[in-house]
Amino acid sequence: QKKALTLKGLWLAVLLAAADVTDDAQKVHMAALDDYVVDFAMAEVRAGGMFLAVADQHGGPLSLENGGPTRVVFVDGTPSGANSDKWIWSLATIEVQ
């Protein structure tokens, strides 16, 4: 939709650090509820700018109509965000490989 949004969640890099992802991990594989899949190289994730949104600006859960329950949002200027195929929403799984 190419519009500014206010969403709540956490940075993907912070989540992976909290999960103690090892340095030998190669990619993050994400699958949506509709089976759409996206792979991000660990270098993309560690570069920052990738946000996992789980709530709207008021703290309410994201509806499926708004890409919930979890969606990836990119900060303006994030290289991965320039590729519209990488914008994945309605996440079902996140797997580090």
Side-chain angles (χ1 to χ4, degrees):
Q1 294 179 0
K2 296 188 180 191
K3 63 179 180 178
L5 298 171
T6 301
L7 301 169
K8 295 183 179 192
L10 68 154
W11 298 105
L12 181 56
V14 171
L15 175 65
L16 297 182
D20 291 327
V21 171
T22 61
D23 289 339
D24 63 341
Q26 298 296 307
K27 65 181 177 179
V28 176
H29 178 80
M30 296 184 182
L33 294 171
D34 65 358
D35 296 324
Y36 185 77
V37 296
V38 173
D39 290 324
F40 294 101
M42 287 305 293
E44 291 177 279
V45 175
R46 290 188 174 120
M50 298 174 64
F51 189 74
L52 291 176
V54 297
D56 64 23
Q57 70 243 21
H58 307 292
L62 292 178
S63 66
L64 287 176
E65 295 81 25
N66 289 317
T70 304
R71 64 185 291 176
V72 174
V73 178
F74 298 92
V75 173
D76 284 343
T78 302
S80 298
N83 180 350
S84 63
D85 292 337
K86 298 270 187 161
W87 286 75
I88 185 168
W89 55 86
S90 297
L91 287 176
T93 62
I94 300 172
E95 180 183 349
V96 177
Q97 300 175 343

